[in-house]
Amino acid sequence: MTNRKPLNSISAGIVVLFLIFTVSCGTEAPSDLTKESIIPKPLSVTATGDYFCLGKKADICIQGESDELKQVAGYLADRLRPATGFPLEVKTTEETPGKGNIFLTLSSPDATLGDEGYKIIISKKLITLAANKPAGLFNGIQTLRQLFPAEIEMSTKHEYDWHIAGGTITDYPAYKYRGAMLDVARHFFSVEDVKRFIDLISAYKINALHLHLSDDQGWRIEIKSWPNLALYGGKTEVGGGVGGYYTQEQYADIVKYADDRFVTIVPEIDMPGHTNAALASYPELNISGKATELYSGTEVGFSTLATKKDITYKFIEDVFGELAALTTGPYLHIGGDESHVTKKEDYIPFVEKVQDIVIKLGKQPIGWDEISLGVLRPGAIAQYWSSAENANKAVAQGAKLLMSPSSRAYIDMKYDSATVIGYTWAGLIEVDKAYNWDPATLEPGIGRENILGIETTLWSETVTNMEEIEYLTFPRLPGLAEVGWTHSSFRNWDEYKVRLGNHGKRFKAMDINYYPSKLVPWAE
Ligand code: NGO
């Protein structure tokens, strides 16, 4: 009698396992990997016709003990656990794991994949995700998420057949820098909002978040050596609301959160114009020596730092010194746009000196395209937003460009005349217009070899909360992400719009407040 019990429970266990397998992995399965709606579109996809089924007993197996690998595997598990309800343990293994698991590996390097590329092999037995660097695995994970049914993005458990079509994907980006800018100065957004923004953009392989941390209406980062910048200069925002600022601890937390998602934070302190918040906080920064009033309107181009005073450069060294110490990425953005009340003969030496300050801190300066009026220091990057002439001046100096053409990449523009929030000065930007351009042929004289990457910008004069951020960002951002990731010869609006339409269900599962453009065939 005593012998029979364990045997019974073993056979019962087998039956239960069999049931779990057949219930959670039924017969309806996707069979053609090449038909999946992946955004940005990968370089190459081949299909085998069979499929992999993620079951309750699956583990995420990593080869080797590296902390980065563990962190990436943990990130994948966190994405898949809520909807599947599966434990998805992260386990270290020395060899190829057994049936039913997801395997992440950095071994057998493939030079063509570079630092950000990846390869996914999906067989009936195993999903293998391979890359040279953790950033490549992270990008592969974003693709993997999109191969599962949209319900995988839900935050609560969902009974589903978690199937993935079989085949191989090999993928790497066209451009190294694929960014999004968030203006936290015109309206202030909480750390939680910034983190959600990072989650949403990194799902589309955006790898840089440019934070516009200061402007006329507000200073948003604590600077310990100049405390009034945040304490006073952070007090308001457009429309006269209470504003706010990030403490250095909060900023460091954002940087860490972004680093964990392979997103580089690019902090911007805009100068010498767009500086009213600083000028209101410290009288000595003004040409007149008198502090200005705090400002909550939306005019641009009326403020300037006193470019001839030594104290101004002490201020810049201190601010960028503290910011450089908190920023893990290689860039500091110096602004430089619309300095309409700074004389040209003052603007040019100012921008040159500020580049030197940034370089001395071991960082690479980025500035809006106007900075090419002066001598660009080696490694300086110009961000093309409005003047092709300025952008060409940067190219003539051998500088690289970040492409943010306002008529395509400014997602603070309205979609159409009925859009309630947003600006129109750079035109209406429907979803097709944001997608249908090639950075390398947009402007005469600017070729692929001159371009570091692209960046979409969300200025926030008209944007007051996360729902509005999401509305203007989605669905334009996925298209702009594809402009940066996928070679233009592989891109085509008519094909893209169908893939985008299939992402509507994902946006819903992620609770994204998106604009349901009539140009897109949204799948039910
Ligand atoms: C311009 C201006 C910003 C505005 C934005 C609004 C640049 C580089 N400077 O872009 O201050 O907020 O337009 O669309």
Side-chain angles (χ1 to χ4, degrees):
M1 288 293 278
T2 43
N3 272 348
R4 289 181 64 102
K5 256 192 158 177
L7 227 148
N8 271 348
S9 51
I10 287 171
S11 36
I14 290 169
V15 170
V16 168
L17 272 179
F18 176 76
L19 280 176
I20 287 169
F21 188 77
T22 47
V23 167
S24 67
C25 291
T27 45
E28 259 197 50
S31 59
D32 190 349
L33 190 63
T34 62
K35 301 237 161 68
E36 293 297 328
S37 293
I38 306 164
I39 302 176
K41 188 179 183 173
L43 197 60
S44 125
V45 182
T46 55
T48 51
D50 58 17
Y51 65 90
F52 173 89
C53 177
L54 188 76
K56 199 175 181 160
K57 303 199 83 182
D59 292 320
I60 297 178
C61 302
I62 54 174
Q63 199 167 30
E65 284 288 344
S66 111
D67 284 347
E68 266 181 317
L69 205 47
K70 277 190 194 150
Q71 188 261 317
V72 174
Y75 167 89
L76 172 60
D78 288 346
R79 299 284 78 68
L80 304 181
R81 274 183 199 131
T84 60
F86 300 160
L88 295 165
E89 274 182 56
V90 174
K91 289 189 177 158
T92 303
T93 155
E94 281 318 313
E95 323 143 5
T96 309
K99 193 172 160 57
N101 296 306
I102 302 179
F103 181 40
L104 307 187
T105 176
L106 293 170
S107 66
S108 50
D110 173 351
T112 56
L113 297 179
D115 288 353
E116 285 200 283
Y118 63 90
K119 188 169 189 147
I120 307 178
I121 303 168
I122 303 151
S123 72
K124 232 174 153 43
K125 278 173 110 176
L126 190 72
I127 296 177
T128 304
L129 169 54
N132 296 329
K133 294 276 165 64
L137 293 179
F138 184 84
N139 287 327
I141 287 171
Q142 305 319 317
T143 299
L144 208 50
R145 285 170 73 180
Q146 296 182 14
L147 298 177
F148 282 107
E151 287 75 5
I152 200 75
E153 299 298 341
M154 301 187 83
S155 53
T156 51
K157 189 171 171 206
H158 204 85
E159 291 302 332
Y160 216 89
D161 285 350
W162 302 110
H163 287 140
I164 291 192
T168 300
I169 299 176
T170 309
D171 196 15
Y172 54 84
Y175 291 103
K176 183 177 160 183
Y177 185 115
R178 303 169 309 280
M181 189 210 80
L182 183 63
D183 173 5
V184 296
R186 270 49 178 276
H187 280 97
F188 181 66
F189 301 105
S190 69
V191 173
E192 283 322 302
D193 287 346
V194 175
K195 286 183 174 174
R196 174 156 166 91
F197 193 66
I198 291 170
D199 282 336
L200 297 181
I201 63 176
S202 60
Y204 289 94
K205 304 186 177 78
I206 293 286
N207 66 359
L209 172 62
H210 166 181
L211 289 175
H212 185 73
L213 288 170
S214 68
D215 213 301
D216 292 318
Q217 299 85 348
W219 186 282
R220 307 298 180 207
I221 176 76
E222 175 191 24
I223 300 295
K224 296 204 193 271
S225 52
W226 295 74
N228 278 350
L229 290 170
L231 288 175
Y232 185 70
K235 264 185 191 302
T236 191
E237 59 182 10
V238 166
V242 291
Y245 65 90
Y246 308 119
T247 64
Q248 294 204 351
E249 290 67 29
Q250 287 173 323
Y251 178 81
D253 181 36
I254 291 172
V255 170
K256 166 88 175 72
Y257 192 85
D259 279 348
D260 286 348
R261 284 150 187 78
F262 300 89
V263 171
T264 301
I265 295 291
V266 180
E268 176 185 356
I269 301 296
D270 202 351
M271 59 180 77
H274 289 278
T275 40
N276 187 71
L279 298 169
S281 308
Y282 287 98
E284 59 270 43
L285 298 176
N286 290 267
I287 298 173
S288 67
K290 282 210 297 232
T292 58
E293 297 285 311
L294 290 175
Y295 179 71
S296 56
T298 55
E299 291 300 311
V300 294
F302 61 87
S303 55
T304 185
L305 290 172
T307 57
K308 289 190 175 132
K309 286 187 177 176
D310 290 344
I311 187 73
T312 298
Y313 298 96
K314 165 92 175 94
F315 160 79
I316 296 167
E317 277 166 10
D318 290 345
V319 168
F320 275 143
E322 290 190 34
L323 212 43
L326 293 165
T327 301
T328 50
Y331 311 112
L332 290 182
H333 201 301
I334 64 174
D337 58 321
E338 299 177 318
S339 296
H340 301 324
V341 295
T342 319
K343 289 191 191 121
K344 197 173 171 193
E345 64 264 32
D346 296 338
Y347 176 85
I348 290 173
F350 173 87
V351 165
E352 291 170 354
K353 273 190 189 175
V354 177
Q355 291 179 72
D356 292 336
I357 292 172
V358 168
I359 290 167
K360 218 165 143 201
L361 289 165
K363 300 285 186 190
Q364 237 175 305
I366 307 183
W368 299 105
D369 60 48
E370 290 95 320
I371 65 163
S372 64
L373 295 173
V375 176
L376 294 176
R377 301 304 192 231
I381 296 154
Q383 184 163 11
Y384 167 51
W385 68 283
S386 105
S387 164
E389 196 187 331
N390 287 343
N392 269 294
K393 281 194 178 124
V395 168
Q397 297 192 52
K400 288 265 193 267
L401 292 178
L402 257 187
M403 300 295 282
S404 304
S406 48
S407 60
R408 307 284 183 162
Y410 266 40
I411 55 171
D412 60 320
M413 295 301 130
K414 290 179 190 283
Y415 292 97
D416 64 14
S417 55
T419 312
V420 176
I421 49 171
Y423 271 172
T424 55
W425 70 262
L428 298 171
I429 307 185
E430 246 297 356
V431 185
D432 58 343
K433 198 169 181 204
Y435 178 79
N436 246 335
W437 61 288
D438 175 1
T441 56
L442 187 73
E443 296 294 352
I446 300 171
R448 220 179 119 68
E449 65 286 2
N450 312 120
I451 297 172
L452 179 68
I454 70 136
E455 187 172 280
T456 174
T457 57
L458 183 54
W459 301 96
S460 65
E461 287 96 333
T462 68
V463 182
T464 64
N465 58 37
M466 194 65 207
E467 286 74 51
E468 292 173 354
I469 289 179
E470 290 175 14
Y471 190 76
L472 291 178
T473 304
F474 284 87
R476 285 182 288 202
L477 179 122
L480 287 155
E482 186 158 304
V483 172
W485 181 278
T486 309
H487 280 271
S488 55
S489 54
F490 296 127
R491 295 197 289 111
N492 163 303
W493 164 254
D494 285 325
E495 184 269 336
Y496 169 72
K497 72 179 181 195
V498 177
R499 273 185 289 128
L500 181 60
N502 287 331
H503 275 238
K505 283 187 274 180
R506 280 174 204 279
F507 298 158
K508 283 187 185 138
M510 289 191 245
D511 216 10
I512 297 173
N513 179 37
Y514 68 101
Y515 160 67
S517 169
K518 291 197 183 68
L519 303 182
V520 179
W522 299 105
E524 282 315 308

